[in-house]
Every structure is written in structure tokens, then in C-alpha cells.
Amino acid sequence: EKVSTNSPPESRLSKFSPPESVCKEFLGALENGDHIAASQMLTNIAQIETARANLQLESPGVEGSTWEVLAAKYATTQKQHAQVSCKLNQPGDGNPVELTWMLRFQYNGWKIYGMSIQLSQTGPVDLLSFENPKDLRRIQDSVADNDPEMTASQINDSVDR
């Protein structure tokens, strides 16, 4: 399903919302600049670590981008960890960027704790944990030039350091 990141989130999440819905809501909150709502969709540890690092997550992509959110894949049959792949389609760019959101089921529902990104179909997959201070420093370093928009290539550059 393609999701425009220029529209407000469709609904409020509940503890029983599936991982795909959490990702759609998270992307919508980021696009709309609702950093409080986006932060509430992170795991407790990720909320603490991003606040400690003074990191404000921004929407990947540019204005007019759309997301294709795919079905969740679960790490175990107990369904405590999930991966939700999303393809970012940017206007004028025929090559979608694939991001995979990493989620964990907590007492209050599915929460995002990180992401993996692959910029090309043959390139490496890089993992960024929002619970890991070292990864958060890499994200901060990539936006140290005061550019408020962190693009997929900036994320990849920061991981390669």
C-alpha cells in the first residue's frame, strides 16, 4: 500500500495495532513535524537515548515522497520482534530507497527501536539502533551541517564512518 507522507495520520494507535500501522503512523507524524507523537512510537529505551542525545528524528525523503509499507515479518513464532520494510519513492527518482523499521512488542504495543537501510539492491544493509548511543552519534554527525532533512544517503554516509 502506498502512503503519502504529506497527509496526516489516519488514526490513533492502540496497544493492539499491528507493526505496519505503527510504521505508517510514525512516518505520518514525522512528515507532519509531530515529533512528540513520533517519539511516543519508539521503545522506552529509544525514547530515553534519543532524548539524552538531543536527537529529533526527521522525515526521510523530500516533499511529495510516498511510502510503500509492506507486510511485517516476525523474527520468531512468538511475534515479539518484527521488521516492516518500506520503499521510499521520491519525485523524479525512479530508484526507490528501501528502509526496514525494527519493532519490538512492549506492554503498550509495537514500538520502533531502529531501522535498516539499503540504498541499492546490491548494496550493503546498514542497521541503526535508536537505543544505541554510538548509532545516535552517527545520525547526529550526518546532520551536523545544520541541514534539518536527513536523506537516505546521509544516513548511509554516517554508517560508513
Side-chain angles (χ1 to χ4, degrees):
E1 169 183 356
K2 292 193 178 188
V3 177
S4 170
T5 57
N6 291 327
S7 59
E10 293 176 8
S11 64
R12 293 286 125 201
L13 296 172
S14 78
K15 157 181 186 166
F16 305 105
S17 297
E20 300 90 342
S21 295
V22 173
C23 291
K24 289 176 189 176
E25 191 90 6
F26 181 72
L27 291 167
L30 289 177
E31 180 63 30
N32 290 310
D34 190 346
H35 302 290
I36 293 170
S39 176
Q40 292 172 348
M41 291 177 241
L42 299 176
T43 62
N44 296 340
I45 295 170
Q47 287 180 36
I48 291 167
E49 291 300 330
T50 55
R52 185 178 293 156
N54 202 23
L55 179 69
Q56 184 170 292
L57 299 175
E58 299 291 337
S59 178
V62 298
E63 187 175 334
S65 296
T66 58
W67 290 92
E68 183 179 356
V69 177
L70 306 177
K73 294 180 183 177
Y74 298 93
T76 67
T77 56
Q78 290 134 351
K79 296 186 176 182
Q80 295 298 307
H81 295 270
Q83 298 178 359
V84 177
S85 292
C86 301
K87 291 187 180 182
L88 169 64
N89 299 293
Q90 299 186 83
D93 186 356
N95 299 317
V97 174
E98 187 169 324
L99 281 165
T100 300
W101 299 103
M102 315 301 283
L103 295 93
R104 181 180 305 121
F105 191 78
Q106 297 187 154
Y107 67 92
N108 56 349
W110 286 101
K111 301 294 179 176
I112 296 169
Y113 68 88
M115 67 178 206
S116 63
I117 184 168
Q118 184 175 21
L119 293 176
S120 70
Q121 291 186 352
T122 58
V125 176
D126 296 311
L127 174 66
L128 290 172
S129 170
F130 301 142
E131 298 178 338
N132 182 331
K134 183 177 177 183
D135 287 347
L136 294 175
R137 279 192 297 279
R138 289 178 176 168
I139 294 169
Q140 286 177 314
D141 289 347
S142 74
V143 293
D145 62 1
N146 295 324
D147 182 2
E149 298 283 330
M150 186 158 107
T151 66
S153 61
Q154 288 171 317
I155 293 169
N156 194 54
D157 290 345
S158 70
V159 173
D160 290 340
R161 289 185 188 171

